[in-house]
């Protein structure tokens, strides 16, 4: 109890200093460097309730959670886990809670049960909002990326230290290709580091993965049909999916990327995402741009929301442009408690995007090496922004940064709620 009280005081101190809220992660996907479960994933209901109770009396602050809801190692059941998060929300009356909404392979109907319980909680007086991704969530594979399925193959490990150009030249040799495709993966990569668990799962379930694996190419589509999958291509050519993956990664001088949506794409379309986005408690979210930067490039979600959902989608229902913009501006600002922005109104903060809607698009992700110590990350450029204005100052004009940096630290609770 003393430790929980100390944690509550730490959270309260942060909130009083301007923190926006408190978030917790309860998932098997997040591990310590030794592979152990993170403390947050094992937090008790008493701990979460006591921390949330520190919000009482504050005029700002949101709660957020991500959960598998059926974590295998802790043997949690769906309803029991949702109860924990709902009780956390109930411990902070007057404050809003959100949780991630994802279609998972382990339980393909779980996301609908989450929506049902979120609706019931909201109707009972404890609002629970749902953070929804704009498209399938997964990883990008390639010779430049952090992960690809050949990392542990003995022949690849012998050339892993070479430049991209040298690797592509060697791998283009039919004899080298035949040798490598005859091998099996080791448990360690060329630099001695363990092969990611994803690699074992990838190779052990190759046909299942290849059914949901797609080349990006120049005309990439984040809602590709089944006939464009690696498995379909392999079937049509009468070769193994691994051979198609090998050949694909050599394209564009070894810069080609393969898209593997792990979540939200089990039906090989975005119909379920449409249902999620049209839920009354939905908020656009999960646009990961600061983690796993060698395998994920999801910071383009906001632009994709406009392009795909309001204009380009051809395999199902679209969304009204006004709804998309509202979700990403006013709805999100109001949820977080930033009452000084989110609408074009006198007295509000002058943050505005001027968009050429007909020309708006995102380019294919690309790898750049601009992090400290030669670190690399995936970037995805956008086209069609006539101007981006922050606090009344133009920071981007015709897709080019001007060099202006008027942005300032934003603290929660600094703007009063509207009467």
């Amino acid at each position: 109890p003393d430790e929980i009280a100390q944690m509550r005081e730490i959270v309260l101190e942060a909130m009083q200093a301007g923190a926006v809220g408190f978030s917790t992660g309860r998932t098997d996907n997040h591990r310590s460097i030794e592979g152990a479960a993170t403390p947050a994933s094992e937090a008790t209901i008493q701990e979460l309730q006591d921390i949330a109770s520190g919000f009482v009396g504050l005029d700002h602050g949101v709660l957020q959670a991500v959960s598998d809801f059926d974590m295998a190692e802790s043997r949690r059941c769906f309803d029991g886990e949702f109860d924990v998060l709902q009780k956390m929300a109930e411990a902070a009356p007057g404050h809003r809670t959100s949780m991630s909404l994802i279609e998972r392979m382990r339980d393909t109907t779980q996301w609908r049960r989450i929506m049902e319980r979120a609706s019931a909680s909201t109707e009972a007086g404890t609002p629970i909002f749902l953070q929804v991704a704009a498209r399938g969530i997964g990883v990008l594979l390639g010779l430049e990326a952090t992960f690809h399925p050949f990392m542990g193959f003995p022949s690849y490990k012998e050339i892993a230290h070479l430049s991209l150009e040298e690797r592509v030249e060697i791998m283009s040799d039919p004899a080298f290709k035949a040798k490598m495709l005859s091998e099996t993966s080791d448990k360690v990569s060329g630099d001695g580091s363990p092969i990611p668990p994803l690699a074992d799962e990838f190779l052990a379930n190759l046909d299942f993965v290849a059914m949901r694996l797609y080349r990006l190419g120049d005309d990439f589509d984040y809602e590709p049909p089944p006939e464009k999958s690696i498995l379909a291509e392999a079937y049509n050519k009468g070769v193994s999916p691994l051979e198609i993956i090998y050949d694909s990664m050599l394209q564009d001088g070894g810069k080609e990327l393969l898209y593997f949506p792990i979540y939200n794409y089990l039906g090989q379309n975005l119909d379920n995402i449409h249902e999620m986005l049209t839920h009354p408690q939905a908020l656009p979210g999960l646009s990961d741009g600061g983690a796993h930067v060698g395998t994920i490039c999801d910071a383009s979600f906001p632009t994709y929301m406009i392009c795909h959902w309001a204009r380009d989608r051809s395999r199902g229902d679209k969304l009204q442009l006004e709804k998309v913009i509202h979700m990403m501006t006013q709805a999100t600002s109001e949820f977080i408690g930033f009452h000084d922005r989110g609408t074009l109104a006198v007295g509000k903060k002058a943050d505005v995007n001027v968009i050429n809607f007909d020309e708006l698009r995102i380019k294919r992700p690309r790898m750049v090496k601009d992090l400290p110590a030669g670190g690399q990350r995936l970037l995805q450029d956008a086209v069609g922004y006539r101007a981006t204005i922050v606090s009344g100052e133009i920071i981007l004009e015709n897709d080019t940064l001007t060099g202006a940096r008027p942005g300032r630290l934003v603290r929660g609770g600094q703007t009063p709620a509207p009467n």
Side-chain angles (χ1 to χ4, degrees), residues 110-414:
Q110 181 195 87
W111 63 277
R112 281 202 170 94
R113 300 202 304 278
I114 293 173
M115 292 197 304
E116 291 169 1
R117 289 216 50 181
S119 295
S121 178
T122 300
E123 291 172 5
T126 301
I128 293 180
F129 290 77
L130 303 168
Q131 290 196 32
V132 180
R135 59 180 185 244
I137 298 176
V139 296
L140 297 176
L141 292 65
L143 291 178
E144 287 190 301
T146 301
F147 167 75
H148 62 77
F150 299 104
M151 295 171 62
F153 283 51
S155 291
Y156 185 81
K157 288 163 64 174
E158 293 177 0
I159 65 171
H161 64 286
L162 299 176
S163 68
L164 176 64
E165 292 76 13
E166 291 171 314
R167 281 179 284 151
V168 169
E169 182 178 359
I170 294 171
M171 292 176 68
S172 299
D173 180 355
F176 183 90
K177 172 184 172 181
K179 179 184 177 183
M180 191 151 86
L181 291 178
S182 70
E183 299 172 347
T184 56
S185 179
D186 295 335
K187 295 296 183 183
V188 295
S189 60
D191 61 5
S193 61
I195 294 293
L198 179 62
D200 286 338
E201 297 175 12
F202 193 102
L203 296 169
N205 304 281
L206 186 58
D207 283 354
F208 177 81
V209 170
M211 188 189 305
R212 292 163 174 79
L213 187 66
Y214 310 88
R215 306 174 192 248
L216 279 190
D218 292 327
D219 59 344
F220 69 95
D221 179 4
Y222 285 111
E223 193 175 7
E227 57 268 24
K228 287 194 174 183
S229 70
I230 292 294
L231 184 66
E233 185 175 349
Y235 179 82
N236 291 333
K237 293 182 177 179
V239 300
S240 74
L242 207 58
E243 182 173 346
I244 299 297
I245 294 170
Y246 186 104
D247 293 341
S248 299
M249 292 197 309
L250 294 179
Q251 292 183 328
D252 194 21
K255 296 181 181 294
E256 177 64 292
L257 294 167
L258 303 180
Y259 175 49
F260 178 36
I262 301 172
Y263 305 110
N264 292 345
Y265 210 68
L266 300 186
Q268 292 181 291
N269 59 57
L270 295 179
D271 290 349
N272 289 344
I273 289 286
H274 182 274
E275 187 174 341
M276 294 179 192
L277 287 170
T278 52
H279 188 278
Q281 300 299 108
L283 292 171
L286 309 179
S287 50
D288 197 335
H292 316 294
V293 293
T295 55
I296 292 175
C297 192
D298 290 346
S300 60
F301 276 9
T303 302
Y304 183 78
M305 280 281 291
I306 301 173
C307 293
H308 186 76
W309 287 108
R311 189 191 64 198
D312 295 339
R313 190 172 191 231
S314 60
R315 299 185 61 204
D317 293 336
K318 301 177 185 179
L319 298 174
Q320 289 185 328
L321 177 61
E322 295 85 350
K323 175 178 176 61
V324 172
I325 298 299
H326 169 75
M327 291 178 73
M328 295 195 296
T329 54
Q330 185 177 12
T332 299
S333 297
E334 288 181 351
F335 172 80
I336 295 174
F338 290 161
H339 305 295
D340 62 339
R341 66 198 71 198
T343 59
L344 290 174
V346 174
K348 295 294 182 87
K349 193 172 184 297
D351 289 355
V352 182
N353 276 310
V354 180
I355 298 171
N356 185 330
F357 182 55
D358 293 334
E359 295 185 6
L360 187 68
R361 63 184 177 90
I362 50 177
K363 295 184 178 180
R364 192 175 72 169
R366 59 188 176 91
M367 190 70 74
V368 298
K369 294 184 178 181
D370 62 352
L371 297 179
Q376 62 182 22
R377 59 180 176 144
L378 287 162
L379 293 182
Q380 191 165 21
D381 300 312
V383 174
Y385 287 95
R386 296 291 301 274
T388 297
I389 304 167
V390 176
S391 298
E393 189 171 348
I394 297 176
I395 67 166
L396 179 142
E397 189 169 10
N398 294 324
D399 305 316
T400 302
L401 293 170
T402 65
R405 297 289 187 271
R408 296 293 181 268
L409 173 67
V410 179
R411 296 182 186 271
Q414 301 301 304

Side-chain angles (χ1 to χ4, degrees), residues 9-22 55 58-62 336-338 341 408-415:
E9 291 304 314
I10 291 172
V11 172
L12 179 59
E13 181 182 357
M15 296 298 298
Q16 292 171 336
V20 170
F22 170 78
F55 282 52
L58 295 177
D59 60 3
H60 78 286
V62 296
I336 295 174
F338 290 161
R341 66 198 71 198
R408 296 293 181 268
L409 173 67
V410 179
R411 296 182 186 271
Q414 301 301 304
T415 57

